[in-house]
Amino acid sequence: MLARRLLPFLPVAMLAAVSLTAPITFDEISDRAGVTFTSNSSPTPQKHQPEPMVGGVAIFDFDGDGYPDIYFVNGAGMPSLEKTGPQYKNRLFRNNHDLTFTDVTDKAGVAGSGYGMGVAVGDYDNDGRPDLFVTSVNQNQLFHNNGDGTFTDVTAKAGVSGGIFAGKKMWSVGAAWIDYNNDGLLDLFVANYCQWDPNTEPPCALNGNRVFCNPRLYKPLPNTLYRNNGDGTFTDVSVEAGIAAHPGRGMGVAVADFDNDGFPDIVVANDDLPNQLFHNIGGKRFEEIADDAGVALAEGGNVISGMGVDFKDLFNRGLPDIWITAIEKQTFPLFKNLGHGQFAEDTAMAGLGLATADMSGWSNAMVDLDNDGWKDLYVARSNVIDNVALFMQRQYGEPNTVFRNLGTGRFQDVTSTTGPSFQIPSVNRGAAFGDLDNDGRMDLVVNVLNGKAKVFHNTTRNENHWMLLKLTGVASNRMGIGAQIRLTKPDGSMEYNHATTSSGYASSSDPRVHFGLGASKVAKEIQILWPSGIKQVLRDVAGDRIVEITEPVPGR
């Protein structure tokens, strides 16, 4: 505790020498866990534009047994996008409760079709069973969870196969479930990428070597917002809600109520275009305010190749911040929420400027990995160009990276102590966090491009305590997505988090809300502001367990 009290007054050069807790460590358990998925982007000599972008991963409890399961998104054949062999299928692995998993894809009926990109988890019909939305180059799909271990493809009935632009289905990458109008029904936001046709794309080369083209050669697309009609169907409200007026090359999507007005807002990481921040105006429409809010560009007014994004409170002030990954020489910008609708880039001050300048990042997350009460930063790294070593002193694969939150506004790269398997370079893409064995430590699953997926068990050893909140909405949406939570510890310090599944790149994380409690064995108070506007307060809640909380409804 003395070290923590002294930290704000220590010179920057001394921060790296201060160790708050035991090292954050991970053990890669994919083989012994039985997770045998290998992604396939169908790489070709022509270097088609979607090939480097597969794919997302989801952690969610599809069968309601209390243990999170894993879903991987896969690619398909190129350029026809019509190959249907097993090597191109998405895969669902059921958790066996002992850190092993069983492939149940065929029984569940979620293998999917088309050239997959990302996945978003949400219970759109409030039946208590999480459903799957899969984005794709050529056909988005919505799988309804039947509650008996199977899913039904309801894409056509629901009307969410994909927005149409210039007569073609738009190429979709990221997606997020969001109750934007607080009517108790989850709506769907889809980030679309660029206008691309395999038959007309230009050949691109560097030093005589064929490479993936710069995204600037492709025109952007508008994003799509679907309003939930409450009868299993959706209506595209992109135009009337003000979303369609702002095209981009959307990759990652994250949701939070950044100004605490009771309505969730949306941030989109765009590839080689300014980031977008859609401010929710009373649940009726959105204004794109990224430039005015200070999050459109990186330091120096530079556009970045935005990949992944997370939107959570890093500094325990009750204000969600924005962190975006990009490619080498661009850094990973961190935008600190100043309140009053304004952000300030905090990358250099947080110790992330030089630290990330030589990195290429895809999925990312703000998550407390050592349960000390401060959210750390994770990034799944890899270069975009598969043959980059031919003309640069760089490698295609890069290691996973963790920046520990020092609780002082600064972060420290602690990857060197995370364990040897965690540091092995890979072509990392989508990544999701969740507590796979319910031990209170957040585990990690990574989708590796044209390689074996990786499951990392969090093996961090310390005396810190924790809590997972499993929310059930009544007046609000059943999953409680959008609920804002303030946890007060016995010493009076506070932590903040909110319920969401969408973060990083094209991925979906455990919907249970995680808190590290540090030395505290109990939460003195937990205050939940539900999307319905109902405020709930629980007191003296014991930690080191999963706490199930149901939204109270007056008069019931």
Side-chain angles (χ1 to χ4, degrees):
M1 292 301 295
L2 178 61
R4 178 167 290 174
R5 291 172 184 160
L6 289 175
L7 271 171
F9 307 102
L10 291 174
V12 170
M14 293 179 63
L15 288 175
V18 177
S19 178
L20 298 179
T21 61
I24 295 170
T25 58
F26 288 91
D27 181 22
E28 207 253 294
I29 63 169
S30 311
D31 288 339
R32 63 180 182 268
V35 177
T36 56
F37 175 76
T38 297
S39 79
N40 190 338
S41 72
S42 187
T44 66
Q46 289 76 29
K47 306 290 185 187
H48 294 295
Q49 204 66 10
E51 292 177 21
M53 296 172 61
V54 178
V57 58
I59 295 178
F60 73 119
D61 181 7
F62 86 91
D63 54 1
D65 64 356
Y67 283 80
D69 311 293
I70 305 172
Y71 184 77
F72 294 98
V73 178
N74 210 346
M78 283 292 223
S80 68
L81 304 173
E82 295 174 353
K83 293 184 180 179
T84 58
Q87 68 269 36
Y88 303 113
K89 296 300 185 181
N90 307 330
R91 309 306 294 179
L92 175 63
F93 291 85
R94 187 189 65 223
N95 193 325
N96 298 325
H97 305 184
D98 58 0
L99 284 178
T100 69
F101 295 79
T102 299
D103 187 336
V104 296
T105 310
D106 294 336
K107 176 185 177 182
V110 290
S113 62
Y115 200 94
M117 285 280 132
V119 57
V121 173
D123 181 3
Y124 74 88
D125 59 350
N126 288 331
D127 64 357
R129 302 185 292 263
D131 309 298
L132 284 171
F133 179 75
V134 180
T135 61
S136 175
V137 176
N138 55 322
Q139 181 186 358
N140 300 338
Q141 291 180 283
L142 177 60
F143 295 99
H144 176 254
N145 190 333
N146 301 320
D148 59 359
T150 69
F151 291 75
T152 299
D153 185 339
V154 296
T155 311
K157 174 187 175 183
V160 293
S161 62
I164 303 298
F165 186 87
K168 287 186 61 178
K169 184 267 178 189
M170 293 189 283
W171 170 1
S172 306
V173 178
W177 291 100
I178 169 177
D179 185 2
Y180 79 91
N181 53 8
N182 289 343
D183 65 352
L185 300 168
L186 286 178
D187 311 295
L188 181 61
F189 180 91
V190 182
N192 298 309
Y193 187 59
C194 71
Q195 301 178 45
W196 170 82
D197 187 322
N199 300 309
T200 60
E201 65 179 334
C204 295
L206 189 60
N207 294 344
N209 299 292
R210 189 71 176 260
V211 295
F212 300 112
C213 293
N214 189 303
R216 293 183 182 180
L217 294 180
Y218 302 94
K219 295 180 180 179
L221 288 171
N223 300 307
T224 307
L225 178 65
Y226 295 103
R227 186 186 65 223
N228 192 331
N229 299 324
D231 59 359
T233 69
F234 293 77
T235 298
D236 185 340
V237 295
S238 309
V239 173
E240 65 190 76
I243 297 294
H246 305 280
R249 298 189 196 97
M251 300 277 274
V253 182
V255 177
D257 181 4
F258 78 88
D259 56 353
N260 292 320
D261 66 354
F263 291 93
D265 311 296
I266 304 167
V267 62
V268 180
N270 281 310
D271 191 3
D272 220 346
L273 280 174
N275 308 311
Q276 293 168 323
L277 177 59
F278 292 99
H279 181 216
N280 191 334
I281 309 299
K284 300 182 183 302
R285 60 186 179 88
F286 289 83
E287 290 183 350
E288 203 291 293
I289 63 165
D291 191 39
D292 291 339
V295 300
L297 305 170
E299 286 177 323
N302 296 317
V303 169
I304 63 169
S305 299
M307 302 289 196
V309 59
D310 207 355
F311 198 178
K312 294 188 179 76
D313 183 353
L314 272 180
F315 305 106
N316 286 332
R317 299 169 303 125
L319 297 168
D321 310 289
I322 297 172
W323 186 49
I324 299 175
T325 58
I327 63 174
E328 69 272 13
K329 299 181 181 179
Q330 294 182 347
T331 75
F332 302 162
L334 173 61
F335 298 99
K336 187 174 184 178
N337 191 333
L338 304 179
H340 308 292
Q342 293 295 305
F343 293 77
E345 184 167 350
D346 202 44
T347 315
M349 290 294 293
L352 297 170
L354 291 176
T356 63
D358 200 41
M359 298 179 178
S360 293
W362 289 77
S363 206
N364 62 332
M366 302 172 173
V367 55
D368 187 351
L369 296 174
D370 54 3
N371 286 332
D372 67 349
W374 297 94
K375 295 181 188 69
D376 309 294
L377 300 176
Y378 161 82
V379 56
R381 293 171 51 195
S382 165
N383 206 275
V384 177
I385 304 173
D386 57 352
N387 54 358
V388 65
L390 294 177
F391 42 83
M392 291 184 185
Q393 290 186 334
R394 301 191 63 85
Q395 297 299 315
Y396 187 29
E398 297 183 21
N400 294 284
T401 297
V402 169
F403 296 95
R404 169 176 266 157
N405 189 333
L406 299 177
T408 64
R410 292 184 62 85
F411 296 82
Q412 180 185 15
D413 187 341
V414 295
T415 308
S416 62
T417 59
T418 52
S421 61
F422 192 79
Q423 301 170 47
I424 297 174
S426 296
V427 187
N428 302 307
R429 290 297 184 260
F433 278 90
D435 189 355
L436 297 176
D437 56 348
N438 292 336
D439 68 349
R441 294 172 295 191
M442 297 300 281
D443 308 302
L444 167 67
V445 181
V446 184
N447 198 340
V448 176
L449 180 63
N450 296 316
K452 291 178 60 177
K454 296 188 177 184
V455 179
F456 291 101
H457 182 224
N458 188 333
T459 56
T460 303
R461 302 292 181 187
N462 56 38
E463 300 300 318
N464 292 335
H465 301 277
W466 58 275
M467 187 176 293
L468 275 171
L469 306 185
K470 184 180 184 301
L471 304 181
T472 299
V474 179
S476 303
N477 67 85
R478 183 71 177 264
M479 289 181 71
I481 286 180
Q484 301 177 60
I485 303 164
R486 184 187 73 193
L487 184 148
T488 304
K489 293 187 285 191
D491 64 2
S493 62
M494 297 179 183
E495 299 176 26
Y496 298 84
N497 210 340
H498 65 277
T500 184
T501 60
S502 297
S503 65
Y505 170 72
S507 295
S508 198
S509 287
D510 192 339
R512 298 175 298 182
V513 186
H514 173 255
F515 285 92
L517 301 180
S520 302
K521 296 181 180 181
V522 64
K524 180 180 178 181
E525 180 181 280
I526 299 174
Q527 177 181 289
I528 304 172
L529 180 61
W530 293 88
S532 64
I534 293 173
K535 184 179 292 186
Q536 183 176 11
V537 178
L538 298 85
R539 294 185 172 85
D540 299 322
V541 182
D544 297 323
R545 64 192 181 104
I546 299 166
V547 182
E548 297 189 7
I549 303 174
T550 300
E551 178 183 17
V553 178
R556 291 193 182 182

